[in-house]
Amino acid sequence: MLDPLSASLTVASSGLEAQSTRMRIVSENLANASSTGRTAGADPYQRKTITFDAAMDRASGTQLAKVKEIGVDTTPYRVEYDPGHPAADKAGYVKMPNVNMMIEMADMREVNRSYEANLQVVKQVRSMLGMTIDLLRS
């Protein structure tokens, strides 16, 4: 088992990696919020979701945050009337992505805060390790 400071770094690192992946998924959703199908009646972009899991790291003996699955949101697509759109069906309706901008923006803020919290842990551990080395030198 690692010492507690090294274990803290390992846990925080796994959190940084997991939140980085989550930010990528949120960014993809935001970037494709208007991506319709290319042909009449085709399905548009489908919102992606991410699921996390705790995984035991045998080397450090700690629980780490890991991405369990990147899936898709099965909520129905929005439908808008736009008969001139290339993806419009015969009735003039276009299937729009099931991406809700407000949800994605809220997720982005939460990801940002979680990432910053993990980064703060890394900074604190580095500071404590530095102070420990200084004590050992004197």
Side-chain angles (χ1 to χ4, degrees):
M1 169 140 174
L2 295 176
D3 67 279
L5 291 178
S6 296
S8 297
L9 276 176
T10 303
V11 171
S13 298
S14 75
L16 287 170
E17 186 176 335
Q19 294 305 324
S20 178
T21 303
R22 184 177 176 199
M23 181 60 90
R24 182 181 55 82
I25 297 300
V26 170
S27 298
E28 285 179 25
N29 289 339
L30 287 170
N32 289 293
S34 301
S35 298
T36 61
R38 295 177 186 241
T39 59
D43 286 343
Y45 174 81
Q46 194 168 13
R47 178 179 181 261
K48 291 183 179 178
T49 60
I50 188 166
T51 308
F52 297 107
D53 196 14
M56 176 60 88
D57 180 43
R58 293 176 192 227
S60 65
T62 58
Q63 292 280 341
L64 305 179
K66 295 287 183 187
V67 173
K68 181 178 180 182
E69 177 183 22
I70 295 175
V72 291
D73 188 349
T74 58
T75 58
Y77 299 118
R78 293 180 293 118
V79 179
E80 293 181 3
Y81 183 71
D82 186 0
H85 195 284
D89 61 14
K90 291 179 182 183
Y93 289 96
V94 179
K95 291 181 192 175
M96 300 300 289
N98 58 352
V99 176
N100 182 327
M101 296 294 274
M102 295 301 286
I103 290 173
E104 299 306 322
M105 293 305 289
D107 280 354
M108 185 179 282
R109 288 186 73 171
E110 185 178 324
V111 169
N112 192 36
R113 288 187 176 144
S114 296
Y115 192 90
E116 286 176 355
N118 282 302
L119 199 54
Q120 191 61 35
V121 169
V122 171
K123 287 178 182 177
Q124 288 289 15
V125 170
R126 287 183 63 198
S127 173
M128 292 172 78
L129 287 170
M131 288 188 289
T132 302
I133 290 170
D134 288 344
L135 282 173
L136 293 173
R137 285 184 190 161
S138 53

